[in-house]
Amino acid sequence: YNLDSGKTLQTGSVPREIFSEGITLLGRGLYMLTYKSKVVVEYDAATFREVQRHPFPYGEGWGLTTDGCDLLATTGSQFIFRLRPDATGTLQLASKVEVTHQGRPVKMLNEIEYVTPKVWINQWHTNWLWRVDPLTGICELMMNIQGLHQWHGEATPNGIGYSVEALGEDK
């Protein structure tokens, strides 16, 4: 997609049996986390052709981002799963970090976005966004976004967008 022109440059399709919950670019791979299929599908970022399916045995896939070296995933639990490609390109669990606020676990972690050097995570069925240190799991800041919109039932905040350019920061 070209942001300046608004034109779609390339499209791809997701197999019917897969419900995607997150997608991110890492190196030459486009990694897509599945909701219930227990896999991370890796695509070639240039061609959108499927490269391989990596096991994801940690639960339902809820959110996926990258810090530029590893993939960071959420499952609706209180954990961030750090996945790292090994020498053969296979994803391996590098760490599992519990997210806490004032010593208590923060559960229902959903969408996740890496904003150097922290992650922002929305908590499903709440109006809370959390800024978390991805190495320690400690919540450093919380933001209630209730005033942005009137959400009801399942229609709660579910997504985080971040743009370096929009904030006027250096790349």
Side-chain angles (χ1 to χ4, degrees):
Y1 183 77
N2 183 300
L3 287 174
D4 294 326
S5 69
K7 291 184 181 179
T8 299
L9 303 176
Q10 187 173 341
T11 63
S13 62
V14 175
R16 290 183 183 264
E17 72 273 10
I18 290 180
F19 186 100
S20 174
E21 272 293 339
I23 194 163
T24 194
L25 180 67
L26 178 61
R28 293 181 298 204
L30 192 59
Y31 294 87
M32 182 179 70
L33 181 64
T34 62
Y35 176 46
K36 293 196 180 226
S37 299
K38 297 190 181 294
V39 294
V40 174
V41 183
E42 179 185 350
Y43 294 93
D44 180 288
T47 65
F48 289 178
R49 289 201 176 113
E50 186 175 321
V51 174
Q52 66 179 319
R53 294 187 183 196
H54 303 271
F56 187 79
Y58 315 109
E60 296 176 341
W62 282 33
L64 186 69
T65 193
T66 182
D67 63 4
C69 296
D70 299 326
L71 299 175
L72 304 169
T74 60
T75 62
S77 68
Q78 68 266 29
F79 297 103
I80 297 172
F81 297 85
R82 180 177 291 271
L83 306 170
R84 181 173 297 148
D86 65 16
T88 67
T90 303
L91 293 179
Q92 301 293 334
L93 181 65
S95 67
K96 175 182 169 184
V97 176
E98 184 176 38
V99 175
T100 61
H101 175 66
Q102 297 178 343
R104 294 188 173 147
V106 178
K107 298 180 181 181
M108 303 291 285
L109 300 178
N110 193 9
E111 175 61 21
I112 182 170
E113 185 71 33
Y114 187 79
V115 182
T116 305
K118 308 297 179 180
V119 291
W120 283 88
I121 306 174
N122 88 291
Q123 187 177 16
W124 182 240
H125 282 199
T126 76
N127 293 310
W128 292 106
L129 294 179
W130 301 89
R131 186 178 71 193
V132 178
D133 182 312
L135 299 176
T136 66
I138 295 172
C139 293
E140 301 174 344
L141 184 69
M142 52 197 262
M143 182 187 317
N144 187 331
I145 59 171
Q146 181 176 4
L148 295 178
H149 182 73
Q150 294 299 317
W151 289 283
H152 302 287
E154 293 291 306
T156 59
N158 183 17
I160 301 169
Y162 168 72
S163 169
V164 172
E165 290 82 11
L167 294 177
E169 297 178 14
D170 292 334
K171 290 185 182 180

